[in-house]
Amino acid sequence: LISPLDAAAGDVPGAESQAIVYLDWAGAALPLRSQLADAAAAVAGQTLGNPHCTGPAAFASMLAEDAARAQLLAHFCGHRAHEWDLIFTAGATSALKLVSECFPWADGSRLAFASDSHTSVIGMRGPAGAAGAGFACLPPDAPPSAWAATATHASPSVRHLAFF
């Protein structure tokens, strides 16, 4: 939701010429002019390349990526940042695909998700099922005991994954 203060300040492109209310359920807010200007200045001041390649441009990208990763881990994990890894993906769908393909599924594992889950979550059934895992689709208002009951395997070596 664009606040009237932001629109009045002229920092939302196009907002000064029309009264707008912008709601995006995907969570992508409209960029502010100041954000666009900062991003343009950041990339205009250096040459960046594919961080998976070699060379000065690739090295500059790798350094920027490493700095962003360190800042995010420090912010969210504090002094335990060294215990975590952070992987950048193109978006939520790619992240869920990566999780479903790398999760240690096994016979007896269970993928549990709410019936109103995004199709990206529901699509995780493919890799889970291919590895022998089952799945449970629960109502979004199911109590915690219903979610816990989906983990039917008692072995601590069998992992389960739930999205609610």
Side-chain angles (χ1 to χ4, degrees):
L1 180 61
I2 301 297
S3 78
L5 294 176
D6 287 335
D11 206 21
V12 178
E16 61 278 344
S17 62
Q18 59 185 336
I20 63 167
V21 174
Y22 180 81
L23 300 173
D24 183 349
W25 291 102
L30 289 173
L32 301 177
R33 276 194 180 89
S34 56
Q35 292 171 318
L36 294 171
D38 289 348
V43 296
Q46 58 186 329
T47 302
L48 300 173
N50 183 339
H52 305 289
C53 293
T54 58
F59 187 69
S61 293
M62 184 192 70
L63 292 177
E65 184 179 310
D66 288 347
R69 181 178 288 109
Q71 288 176 340
L72 288 165
L73 286 170
H75 177 78
F76 288 108
C77 306
H79 70 281
R80 298 181 68 181
H82 66 281
E83 298 175 13
W84 295 87
D85 289 319
L86 176 64
I87 299 170
F88 294 106
T89 64
T93 297
S94 342
L96 291 169
K97 184 175 186 296
L98 183 64
V99 167
S100 70
E101 292 172 348
C102 296
F103 192 81
W105 301 110
D107 284 333
S109 290
R110 182 76 85 184
L111 169 66
F113 53 89
S115 60
D116 62 353
S117 290
H118 187 272
T119 55
S120 300
V121 173
I122 297 167
M124 296 174 77
R125 292 179 302 178
F135 68 91
C137 180
L138 299 168
D141 59 350
S145 59
W147 289 91
T150 65
T152 57
H153 202 282
S155 170
S157 64
V158 175
R159 305 287 172 100
H160 308 284
L161 190 59
F163 289 89
F164 48 95

